[in-house]
Amino acid sequence: MSDPDPSASLIHDWVLAGPHRFEVQGRVMLNDETLRDGLQSPSVTDPPAERKVEILHLMNRLGIETACVGLPGAGERQRADAERLCLEMARERLRITPNCAGRTLQRDIEPMADIAQRTGAPVEACVFIGSSPIRLHTEGWEMERLLRHTADAVAFGVKQGLKVMYVTEDTVRTPPATLEPLLRAAVEAGASRVCLCDTAGAAIPEGVMNLVGWVAGLLQSLGAGEVGIDWHGHRDRGLGLANTLAAVRAGASRVHGAGLAAGERVGNTAMELLLVNLRLLGLRDDDLGALPAYAEAVSAALGIPIPPNAPVVGQDAFRTATGVHAAAVIKARERGDAWLADNVYSGVPASWIGREQVVDVGPMSGASNVRHALGRLGLPATERTVTAVLRAAKSSDRVLSEAQIRQAADAAPRSTLLGQDHHE
């Protein structure tokens, strides 16, 4: 018999305690956009194919189901890299499968079909078209044109043996009178999935739930309940993760993200946060041990620094120098309770990603921080050394380095005597 889950009695979950629930049936799939939308960020570097292969393998280790490997219709390099990644998936028999993005144009879909034929990989074609009134007004497009492009592109992709996901850009600002005929045309032409997009990062969770719920109802009314719903969200208002979780709650069966939130303008929903939150919600059970390596590989390949305070993957994610917080973590460790130490002051267990809670010494620290640090460094935690290190910490404007802690501890006898002489 397994030990009871301590979280059941020690952590109250308000999601289970009131009328507003997060209830979802089944596992939510993930699509990684790092190597497509992520590379559309104005500030990143488009890395060589071998760096992309490295990131692809880390996606696979994390259990991510699909990865967008590029826009092969955009140029020769983009096509070559997409083919290289598809070949890697096929040769290495990776669990992760590829998709490619392109416009609702035959010339964008043809290279996808060619790559699938040449590599043997099950390429999914993600064909997109602008749908919002503001986009149509800007482009001078008529509804007849959108419907024709939709039906022709989806039918062509299906005829080429590809699964097709139909993507409406700026879906969150598109009215039902436009969406209904477009989605109907895509489904009738053979689309296996539809993707709803917050292309401009304009949505809030309530709007996302209204949209996804409406689309799910429409598909049911069309007798197409088997057609999957994807969500692709940007974070211009800082709501990328919240909106994506709202889409999951409303019925999206696959959601998109990118490593370190890379992507157009300020980026996509952060994949590392999706992985952690979906596991916390019980909707996935991935081994997240490779998450730090994934973040570091994306950072190095794309040239995106990881901020110290980045949730989950930042260097400060599981660190504290505050006396009260540190004391609680230390007390849990002294009990020999690893679970308690990992959860008493953290909403994300550091152990999930191969890290641990770190106690530092700084201006807000107490004596328990100092004793813990001295013990970690193999130094005696005498009253004199603790007092000396704490004094150094209180006079500092930042967390002390290991070298500074050692220096303060080494100077303890002299500094303490000097202090006594002064008082005498």
Side-chain angles (χ1 to χ4, degrees), residues 10 332-342:
L10 295 179
R333 284 183 177 164
E334 289 173 347
R335 292 187 187 183
D337 193 331
W339 179 90
L340 189 62
D342 210 10

Side-chain angles (χ1 to χ4, degrees), residues 382-402:
T382 66
E383 183 177 348
R384 287 185 173 185
T385 55
V386 170
T387 300
V389 174
L390 193 58
R391 182 182 296 129
K394 296 296 184 183
S395 63
S396 175
D397 62 356
R398 65 192 64 227
V399 166
L400 299 182
S401 66
E402 288 189 1

